[in-house]
Amino acid sequence: MVGAPHAHVDAQVDPLAGLRSADDPPWDVYLTGTVFLDIIFTGLGSAPVRGTESWARGMGSSPGGVANMATALARLGLRTSLAAAFGDDHYGDYCWDALEQGEGIDLSPSGTVPGWHSPVTVSMAYEGERTMVSHGHEPPPEAVFLQEGVPECRPRARAAVASLTPGRRSPWIAQAAGEGTRIFGDVGWDDTGAWDLAGLSDLEHCEAFLPNAEEAMRYTGTDCPRAAAHALTAFVPLAVVTLGSEGAYAVDRRTGESAEVPAIAVEALDPTGAGDVFVAGFVTGTLAGWPLADRLAFAGLTARRLRLAQGTWWSYGRPRIDPRAGRPGRRLPGPGSRRCRPRRRGWRRRGRGRTALRRGCPTWQSPAAHASGGPPCRPATAHHRPHPQPRRRP
């Protein structure tokens, strides 16, 4: 077992309280992916114009990418474990602190990659939509290895959210499905333009597939998202198609049931991460055993709460409070703040150099070491996890 589940201090509701037993997996949801630092500008009157300066009425910053979904799952009361690579810089440390300490997300399968710069996205929200500019470097093998799920260090979970990539298999998905984990498949835009469902090799292991309307129609060759949902059930038991401002539609092949719910009309301040939060709400309802229509309605409600917020899902609800702060209510400093330098997690000081990479799995090895038959990873527990180094004033 990797780590041990712990409830966040602010958690009030456990949606699975009536279903838990002593034999349950330690985690409710496991997911992998890339963590970005998101900087979000809201309240822009229009798109930025070349050669001019635009002022935004609002701004927020938070961990983004897969962190949006992980945070939503944790705030909905699910015990969440995340496998991701974090950059060896202030942005990476800030994201780690916000997820682990601020949200109570298990990062035992995650680690910091020395010398790798954290990916950054700037999102500008206007006219009900957003434009994003991202920067990042090609992830090194260590980062790819972590983000694809180290098989020996992957924790057991009731469910997993898998990002399906055309033309590529992730071995952990088949392994998890074989152990009884319920797989929810997510997908992004197919940059190859093939839009071939046969290329989504891991779709066969999924219980549910949740594309948006455009993706669903392109993958099925249909001109109607509802027809696309029915066509997708030939490949996966449960197809859920999000319809944007029209709501969502779902078809369950096992029961023959279908459901559609309209979207809740709101003035969207910031739609960044709404799709991730929708998936989190649907996973929560599914694990709780709710009817299909109720799951869709709850997922739409959680996404609505995000769209009312300024600066992603993180800004709505619980503030980012630093548990180490000297007085109640003190907020986490921004990335790179000189007022409170983040801890360095990727290394320990030994003289003037740096030692081996610290992993959530303490005996983590590189892919080459695994290929050469090195010893397997030893599960991490709170008893032998390395202690963070003391802070140093700049």
Side-chain angles (χ1 to χ4, degrees):
M1 183 178 79
V2 178
H6 60 283
H8 192 276
V9 293
D10 289 342
Q12 299 293 330
V13 178
D14 181 0
L16 308 184
L19 304 175
R20 298 195 185 280
S21 68
D23 298 329
D24 285 344
W27 302 105
D28 295 325
V29 185
Y30 169 75
L31 63 165
T32 69
T34 302
V35 173
F36 287 72
L37 172 69
D38 278 0
I39 301 173
I40 304 97
F41 294 99
T42 63
L44 289 166
S46 62
V49 178
R50 178 181 179 183
T52 67
E53 181 180 20
S54 299
W55 280 81
R57 292 193 297 273
M59 174 186 168
S61 63
S62 68
V66 71
N68 284 326
M69 192 181 300
T71 299
L73 289 164
R75 291 191 180 184
L76 290 172
L78 298 183
R79 300 169 181 175
T80 305
S81 182
L82 171 65
F86 288 77
D88 183 26
D89 51 23
H90 293 302
Y91 296 156
D93 291 332
Y94 166 74
C95 291
W96 186 296
D97 280 345
L99 292 170
E100 184 180 56
Q101 299 184 33
E103 302 297 337
I105 295 170
D106 170 55
L107 297 182
S108 296
S110 300
T112 301
V113 180
W116 186 48
H117 187 280
S118 297
V120 177
T121 292
V122 175
S123 177
M124 293 166 283
Y126 55 89
E127 298 175 359
E129 261 301 336
R130 83 276 195 204
T131 297
M132 295 181 286
V133 178
S134 297
H135 170 75
H137 300 278
E138 190 71 22
E142 303 98 305
V144 175
F145 193 56
L146 274 174
Q147 291 168 173
E148 291 186 351
V150 183
E152 292 84 353
C153 294
R154 179 183 53 79
R156 292 190 306 115
R158 295 172 183 264
V161 180
S163 181
L164 308 182
T165 304
R168 190 176 69 186
R169 279 187 182 272
S170 295
W172 73 266
I173 297 178
Q175 182 181 355
E179 296 171 356
T181 299
R182 305 169 71 175
I183 309 297
F184 293 78
D186 193 13
V187 71
W189 191 258
D190 187 355
D191 292 326
T192 68
W195 298 102
D196 182 8
L197 282 170
L200 299 178
S201 306
D202 289 318
L203 187 60
E204 62 179 318
H205 305 298
C206 295
E207 174 181 325
F209 184 45
L210 298 96
N212 63 32
E214 185 66 23
E215 293 160 350
M217 290 187 291
R218 286 178 179 266
Y219 271 119
T220 59
T222 60
D223 57 2
C224 171
R226 295 163 185 80
H230 285 275
L232 286 171
T233 58
F235 301 88
V236 66
L238 176 58
V240 181
V241 178
T242 55
L243 308 175
S245 60
E246 297 182 22
Y249 184 80
V251 182
D252 192 329
R253 182 185 68 200
R254 297 163 298 187
T255 64
E257 181 183 11
S258 63
E260 181 172 359
V261 297
I264 301 174
V266 297
E267 181 181 355
L269 290 179
D270 175 24
T272 306
D276 295 328
V277 178
F278 179 94
V279 173
F282 188 83
V283 170
T284 301
T286 301
L287 294 183
W290 298 346
L292 184 58
D294 291 351
R295 285 179 265 167
L296 287 180
F298 181 72
L301 176 63
T302 57
R304 169 195 178 271
R305 292 185 61 158
L306 165 74
R307 294 173 71 91
L308 283 172
Q310 173 178 298
T312 76
W313 162 266
W314 295 72
S315 300
Y316 195 95
R318 183 166 61 249
R320 297 193 296 278
I321 302 299
D322 186 352
R324 306 179 306 276
R327 59 182 183 276
R330 180 177 175 185
R331 294 176 179 270
L332 282 170
S337 170
R338 294 179 61 85
R339 178 167 56 85
C340 187
R341 291 285 187 184
R343 291 195 301 270
R344 308 300 296 170
R345 281 194 175 75
W347 48 272
R348 293 180 176 180
R349 290 192 179 275
R350 182 177 295 169
R352 302 178 69 180
R354 297 185 180 185
T355 64
L357 179 66
R358 198 279 285 180
R359 296 288 176 186
C361 184
T363 55
W364 184 91
Q365 296 176 336
S366 68
H370 279 281
S372 63
C377 294
R378 176 164 56 92
T381 67
H383 300 292
H384 63 263
R385 229 179 253 169
H387 293 289
Q389 297 300 298
R391 293 182 181 276
R392 297 176 183 271
R393 293 184 63 85

